[in-house]
Amino acid sequence: IESQIPLESREIWKKFARKDIKTKEDFEKDFVNHVETSLARSMYNCDNLAAYQASSLAIRDKLIIKWNQTQQTQTMLDQKRVYYMSFEFLMGRAMDNAMINTGLRTPIKESVSELGFSLEDLIEEEPDISIGNGGLGRLAACYLDSFATLNYAAWGYGIRYEYGIFSQKIVNGYQVEYPDYWLTYSNPWEIVRTEIQYPVDFYGYVEEVPVYEGATEKKKVWVGGERVLALAYDFPVPGYGADANVNNLRLWSARPTHEFDFAKFNSGEYQNSVEAQQRAESITAVLYPNDNFDAGKELRLKQQYFWVAASLHDIIRRFKKSKRPWREFPDQVAIQLNDTHPTLCIPELQRVLVDLEGLSWDEAWKIVVRTVGYTNHTVMQEALEKWPLTIFQKLLPRHLEIIYDINFYFLQSVSKKFPGDNNLMTSVSIIEESNPKQVKMANLAVIGSHYVNGVAALHSDLIKLTIFKDLVKVFGGDKFGNVTNGITPRRWLKQANPKLAELISSKLGGDEYLSDLNLLKNLEKYLEDKEFKSKWQEVKTFNKTRLSKLVKDLTGYEIDPTFLFDIQVKRIHEYKRQQMNIFGVIYRYLQLKSCSPEERKKFQPKVSIFAGKAAPGYYMAKRIIKLINNVSQVLNNDPETREYLQCVFIPDYNVSKAEIIIPASDISEHISTAGTEASGTSNMKFVLNAGLLIGTLDGATVEIAREIGEENVFLFGHLSENVDKVRASHLFDVKLPSSLETVFQAIDGDVFGDSHEFKPLLDSIRHHSDFYIVSDDFNSYLEAQRLIDETFKGDHDIWIRKCITSVANMGFFSSDRAVEEYAEMIWNIEPLSK
Ligand code: 475
């Protein structure tokens, strides 16, 4: 690789090249060094926070050495790279993960203790990186871990939001939102790249100019009206394994340009001109807190273009260094759209190629389509992104023209193939002729990419039958396929559940299964091993005790680790049906109340555990949280029943809490209305951590049942193909089963506080056609719960065998498998040879 350093000077560089951390002593030296210089502290004023920062800086140094090597190798080999464009990355904490992935956790733990601290305390000092909402953002984080582990040249691109997802407090049972300022203390995991800054324009107008100076032929160009700078921040992403690669997550932050508005400045409007500059920073100030919902706000479109323009600029700069012709762009670059949020990549790349680089429209369009792939994460109408033309036109006038042209050529080809089919044309058009007219981003994403995938088998079939039905007619079915989601076993087994990981290692003879998850299959050999099974049970009890402590700290409630732990943690959403779960809890409570103390003893003691955030503007979801909290208060204070049934809502669910909560489940709930949850990924995490599922046949739960055996999953409810019919039957009347009727009567009778608060929740079922078919699935849900009690109370050996068999068959759900499928099917890349 080229270097500006003269040959004769390079010896010094090599002599003093930064050495890797290998021993405890290396780490300790670096630690003290960082305390004394980077943090300007000493042993006389080093608290846990400083010790966490010094540890992180020392570990980060190690990652950076490897990061540099990885990037140099990638540049040298000049192979195709993948750019994973995700508007969200739910990374969680970095330090523990970096220690585990580099294999240094044990020596560092000892070092930290020798230095006078406890590693567990230091880990707790780190704020989560929570710049995402839920499943989609966490999936992106798991994929980054697999990219690095499997040695792919793959980067993530996203936004460095100053505020991630809000932090949730519960006050009087209600959710209250507070800002998540994760950058309060300087963030040791990011490296600001002051040398990497790109201008990004907005607004302005389109102008016709000669194609070259003096020519009569004209071309269109965009003259931007407002300019901001995109500044790069890099986050090293370590792969798993002592010598693994370190990849990059590049996040953009918006800054004012340095050019002052002199016109205003001169006329004495100093204040105004500075204010306009400061507006720039609002672009990357805050993550929109909606999950599976499109609010259509102008600032969000601005965020999207800001991020897309900066990332493409960066990608193109890197490509140009190789001096290849443009037609080779798709052989060097794969861009994956994580949902439609980065769809502007399509018109922006087309604009750069045609307007700025002078390629013909057709040449450019071929390059765009070959480069881009699109992953869809939801079929729900309210989540599909649509932008009013008015907003679009004002913010991105040239892009709108380009989209019109893309649409024009596309519809021309459609009308050739399907002459006179106006319904088809309307449905596949990028522009929705509604009032106001809108740009349908999902259609643009399908038309502008070479492959479209859903995230679980059922979901990928469904999108072909519903939202993309007509686009399938036009393009044929081969453009559409499936890559079932996966999770990284490094974070979701080794990091979250060290005791189980250790037990598994002891049987499988090492940690290899963490990078080859199919090896778990060998656990089946120990189904008859009594000692193994009793250790298995000990691990579960340990994890349940660990969670009980967290619950006590956060809610004040004491829960008993001998109870059955029934857990539902995910974003609060009507389609995920936390309301059905809490109605089930109420039903159980009423049953307990109505029987004698003797009869009560027959009940399996159980605690229902909930956690999750509601979008701040989502009224119904917030009512569900309130109901869960009111029910908790009644149940946990009822001396007649609390030995048999409790309920808790853990506030501020995030990745690091998930790592404590998930390993503690006996049962977890994945009970969405069939056909609504694209995949789900916590279902995979729970099973991998030796818990069983209660669930509908939705998303990846279908495939989990296939892999681990249907007899090991408590399935219930209507099938996806019948949901429409069931819904149609609600048109005139919703019939409540008597079980649900009883529950509603108790709520209406103020047993759980002022019933007015919950009326909208009940009315949406009994009076407003029960869109999520709670009334239809409720009895079948209760029946599945009954079966769980029976199985759990019965021969406990049977339960444990189910758990072991399930874990043994989870290999398929590794994100390594998922990423390999993307690489082969969509990106056409191979891992770099080491
Ligand atoms: C699915 N987020 C899960 C997960 O594939 C699936 C949409 C619009 C605006 C803001 N956020 C979104 C999502 O759609 C989302 O998170 N989808 C989820 O993706 C990963 O496992 O079933 O709901």
Side-chain angles (χ1 to χ4, degrees):
I1 317 176
E2 281 172 45
S3 164
Q4 321 167 23
I5 307 300
L7 277 173
E8 63 274 22
S9 303
R10 294 192 190 177
E11 278 318 303
I12 311 182
W13 283 80
K14 285 184 186 149
K15 181 170 161 200
F16 294 115
R18 182 67 158 69
K19 305 260 176 340
D20 193 3
I21 296 179
K22 290 234 160 67
T23 63
K24 264 166 52 180
E25 206 171 272
D26 293 341
F27 175 80
E28 286 161 14
K29 198 169 126 205
D30 282 5
F31 177 96
V32 174
N33 193 0
H34 279 300
V35 170
E36 293 187 348
T37 58
S38 313
L39 305 175
R41 299 220 198 184
S42 72
M43 74 160 115
Y44 302 103
N45 65 353
C46 184
D47 54 13
N48 278 344
L49 177 62
Y52 149 71
Q53 288 176 326
S55 304
S56 295
L57 288 169
I59 299 163
R60 191 192 80 172
D61 286 352
K62 181 184 170 66
L63 297 190
I64 290 177
I65 298 166
K66 197 70 206 179
W67 187 93
N68 281 330
Q69 284 170 11
T70 305
Q71 300 317 313
Q72 278 161 23
T73 312
Q74 290 181 6
T75 307
M76 222 157 58
L77 295 177
D78 198 25
Q79 294 176 0
K80 186 169 184 176
R81 296 177 201 228
V82 176
Y83 298 104
Y84 196 77
M85 295 288 300
S86 182
F87 211 36
E88 308 188 357
F89 287 93
L90 265 185
M91 302 296 286
R93 287 174 173 155
M95 187 172 80
D96 200 11
N97 189 249
M99 291 187 295
I100 286 168
N101 278 14
T102 54
L104 287 181
R105 198 182 192 280
T106 310
I108 292 179
K109 189 178 158 77
E110 284 169 23
S111 289
V112 164
S113 146
E114 285 168 16
L115 289 159
F117 295 91
S118 128
L119 184 61
E120 277 67 31
D121 291 348
L122 302 197
I123 289 172
E124 284 301 312
E125 291 292 325
E126 183 175 354
D128 277 37
I129 303 185
S130 295
I131 49 176
N133 276 286
L136 171 147
R138 182 54 231 176
L139 186 76
C142 283
Y143 284 0
L144 292 184
D145 182 87
S146 287
F147 293 156
T149 299
L150 296 172
N151 223 353
Y152 286 111
W155 281 30
Y157 273 116
I159 287 188
R160 180 180 176 273
Y161 303 101
E162 302 268 321
Y163 298 90
I165 190 67
F166 61 86
S167 91
Q168 178 197 54
K169 296 213 165 73
I170 301 297
V171 179
N172 291 327
Y174 296 103
Q175 165 176 301
V176 183
E177 300 95 21
Y178 291 86
D180 157 55
Y181 194 66
W182 59 292
L183 298 165
T184 303
Y185 308 104
S186 71
N187 176 359
W189 295 100
E190 63 181 16
I191 300 146
V192 56
R193 293 281 182 201
T194 39
E195 76 280 18
I196 299 179
Q197 298 193 18
Y198 301 115
V200 177
D201 293 341
F202 301 102
Y203 308 106
Y205 53 92
V206 179
E207 202 176 54
E208 291 207 53
V209 297
V211 282
Y212 53 88
E213 231 179 71
T216 43
E217 198 190 330
K218 297 273 176 80
K219 67 171 184 178
K220 288 184 172 179
V221 289
W222 177 28
V223 182
E226 183 179 304
R227 171 166 287 192
V228 302
L229 289 177
L231 169 62
Y233 283 76
D234 285 347
F235 292 71
V237 180
Y240 175 75
D243 204 32
N245 278 342
V246 176
N247 276 357
N248 197 23
L249 168 59
R250 179 158 287 176
L251 303 179
W252 300 105
S253 181
R255 293 298 141 94
T257 52
H258 304 300
E259 296 140 39
F260 236 119
D261 186 338
F262 274 105
K264 279 186 188 151
F265 188 52
N266 292 336
S267 64
E269 291 202 56
Y270 174 78
Q271 181 110 3
N272 275 349
S273 61
V274 174
E275 272 169 15
Q277 296 280 304
Q278 284 176 346
R279 239 158 59 94
E281 274 156 20
S282 72
I283 296 174
T284 51
V286 57
L287 165 79
Y288 277 94
N290 302 311
D291 183 87
N292 269 295
F293 184 75
D294 171 45
K297 291 277 193 281
E298 177 177 336
L299 180 59
R300 184 173 164 98
L301 186 60
K302 213 168 173 181
Q303 292 182 327
Q304 293 184 347
Y305 180 66
F306 168 80
W307 156 57
V308 160
S311 306
L312 269 177
H313 213 123
D314 207 33
I315 293 166
I316 289 169
R317 178 187 55 96
R318 205 167 295 123
F319 172 76
K320 280 186 167 176
K321 278 204 282 193
S322 73
K323 305 206 166 66
R324 292 168 195 262
W326 277 112
R327 72 184 132 73
E328 287 180 22
F329 191 77
D331 306 320
Q332 292 301 105
V333 173
I335 295 176
Q336 191 64 27
L337 311 181
N338 195 26
D339 215 292
T340 55
H341 317 150
T343 302
L344 285 170
C345 278
I346 292 165
E348 172 68 356
L349 184 54
Q350 182 73 5
R351 183 185 73 87
V352 171
L353 295 177
V354 174
D355 292 2
L356 307 183
E357 300 290 339
L359 273 70
S360 75
W361 180 273
D362 290 347
E363 275 176 304
W365 185 243
K366 271 190 204 123
I367 291 170
V368 170
V369 174
R370 282 183 59 210
T371 302
V372 177
Y374 159 50
T375 305
N376 172 282
H377 295 265
T378 181
V379 289
M380 288 193 305
Q381 280 306 324
E382 67 267 32
L384 298 180
E385 288 192 302
K386 292 176 184 175
W387 295 107
L389 285 194
T390 43
I391 292 184
F392 216 110
Q393 160 76 44
K394 188 173 90 175
L395 191 69
L396 300 166
R398 178 63 185 140
H399 294 80
L400 187 59
E401 284 185 351
I402 290 173
I403 288 171
Y404 268 123
D405 287 346
I406 293 171
N407 204 34
F408 176 80
Y409 293 123
F410 170 65
L411 290 180
Q412 212 172 36
S413 75
V414 176
S415 78
K416 259 199 208 130
K417 221 168 139 189
F418 303 90
D421 193 342
N422 288 333
N423 288 339
L424 182 71
M425 300 274 274
T426 307
S427 137
V428 298
S429 171
I430 301 169
I431 307 297
E432 186 165 279
E433 302 290 332
S434 47
N435 191 8
K437 290 187 184 180
Q438 295 188 302
V439 185
K440 295 186 275 185
M441 299 308 268
N443 285 26
L444 177 56
V446 172
I447 294 163
S449 55
H450 67 282
Y451 201 78
V452 179
N453 76 284
V455 289
L458 174 73
H459 167 70
S460 299
D461 287 343
L462 264 179
I463 57 178
K464 295 215 260 176
L465 296 172
T466 57
I467 52 175
F468 299 140
K469 187 171 168 218
D470 290 319
L471 285 161
V472 170
K473 255 192 221 160
V474 172
F475 289 108
D478 289 350
K479 182 169 178 168
F480 298 80
N482 172 245
V483 181
T484 299
N485 284 166
I487 56 169
T488 168
R490 275 74 69 179
R491 183 176 292 262
W492 295 113
L493 183 49
K494 174 98 177 162
Q495 187 177 328
N497 200 342
K499 292 263 192 278
L500 185 62
E502 201 185 329
L503 177 60
I504 294 174
S505 300
S506 76
K507 286 296 170 197
L508 302 190
D511 281 350
E512 217 186 313
Y513 70 95
L514 288 171
S515 40
D516 183 0
L517 205 62
N518 287 317
L519 292 175
L520 286 176
K521 187 78 183 162
N522 291 314
L523 284 178
E524 282 185 344
K525 287 191 212 138
Y526 303 97
L527 277 171
E528 307 304 330
D529 183 334
K530 280 219 175 94
E531 196 194 320
F532 175 66
K533 284 187 283 187
S534 98
K535 284 194 179 146
W536 187 276
Q537 181 56 49
E538 276 170 32
V539 169
K540 185 54 81 179
T541 306
F542 172 88
N543 288 328
K544 288 168 80 173
T545 309
R546 184 174 70 158
L547 175 58
S548 305
K549 289 197 189 102
L550 183 75
V551 167
K552 176 84 181 31
D553 282 351
L554 295 177
T555 68
Y557 290 130
E558 294 199 32
I559 60 173
D560 184 339
T562 66
F563 280 29
L564 187 161
F565 278 23
D566 179 333
I567 305 184
Q568 188 176 17
V569 287
K570 46 184 90 230
R571 288 296 290 252
I572 312 293
H573 212 300
E574 287 165 284
Y575 87 80
K576 295 177 190 281
R577 296 200 295 192
Q578 283 95 350
Q579 71 277 38
M580 188 164 76
N581 185 343
I582 196 67
F583 295 153
V585 174
I586 294 173
Y587 183 78
R588 195 180 182 97
Y589 174 68
L590 298 175
Q591 273 191 312
L592 277 163
K593 287 299 274 184
S594 70
C595 62
S596 69
E598 272 316 299
E599 281 174 321
R600 272 183 205 137
K601 292 193 178 135
K602 293 188 200 140
F603 276 74
Q604 167 60 46
K606 177 172 131 174
V607 53
S608 283
I609 299 167
F610 294 83
K613 292 171 185 175
Y618 192 170
Y619 178 81
M620 287 291 198
K622 290 182 137 180
R623 293 286 136 153
I624 294 173
I625 292 178
K626 173 66 173 159
L627 180 58
I628 295 169
N629 282 306
N630 281 15
V631 169
S632 301
Q633 202 171 27
V634 171
L635 268 55
N636 304 349
N637 292 303
D638 189 329
E640 281 186 341
T641 60
R642 68 183 171 204
E643 285 163 57
Y644 304 98
L645 182 60
Q646 299 210 359
C647 183
V648 294
F649 186 93
I650 301 174
D652 202 32
Y653 184 58
N654 60 14
V655 170
S656 58
K657 292 210 175 81
E659 289 165 15
I660 308 291
I661 296 171
I662 289 171
S665 84
D666 295 303
I667 281 287
S668 66
E669 308 228 2
H670 309 274
I671 58 177
S672 48
T673 309
T676 61
E677 188 71 277
S679 161
T681 41
S682 78
N683 42 6
M684 304 168 190
K685 294 166 197 166
F686 277 105
V687 179
L688 188 62
N689 283 281
L692 301 184
L693 306 184
I694 178 170
T696 45
L697 279 159
D698 202 13
T701 303
V702 178
E703 288 156 87
I704 294 177
R706 176 193 76 202
E707 293 290 309
I708 71 178
E710 247 181 69
E711 67 283 6
N712 296 315
V713 185
F714 298 92
L715 295 168
F716 73 95
H718 285 86
L719 303 182
S720 142
E721 62 253 41
N722 297 326
V723 167
D724 282 341
K725 226 170 44 205
V726 174
R727 272 186 191 146
S729 79
H730 294 170
L731 213 51
F732 300 106
D733 188 25
V734 177
K735 253 192 92 49
L736 298 186
S738 65
S739 50
L740 194 57
E741 189 70 56
T742 321
V743 170
F744 282 14
Q745 269 168 23
I747 297 173
D748 284 332
D750 295 340
V751 174
F752 306 101
D754 182 358
S755 60
H756 283 104
E757 300 205 82
F758 309 118
K759 199 166 169 303
L761 210 51
L762 307 199
D763 285 353
S764 79
I765 295 169
R766 61 189 168 196
H767 299 317
H768 303 295
S769 68
D770 187 15
F771 188 75
Y772 298 101
I773 67 169
V774 172
S775 60
D776 310 272
D777 278 350
F778 194 60
N779 276 345
S780 151
Y781 175 63
L782 294 180
E783 174 55 23
Q785 289 284 7
R786 197 196 56 73
L787 195 61
I788 289 169
D789 289 343
E790 191 183 289
T791 317
F792 194 79
K793 264 175 88 86
D795 184 354
H796 204 66
D797 188 56
I798 296 180
W799 186 273
I800 291 193
R801 294 166 67 104
K802 280 179 180 295
C803 295
I804 296 172
T805 309
S806 299
V807 173
N809 288 286
M810 283 300 286
F812 179 75
F813 299 98
S814 169
S815 46
D816 297 344
R817 185 271 312 151
V819 159
E820 277 166 347
E821 286 183 20
Y822 278 96
E824 197 182 319
M825 229 161 65
I826 302 175
W827 304 330
N828 191 23
I829 58 161
E830 307 226 337
L832 295 165
S833 33
K834 280 204 188 157

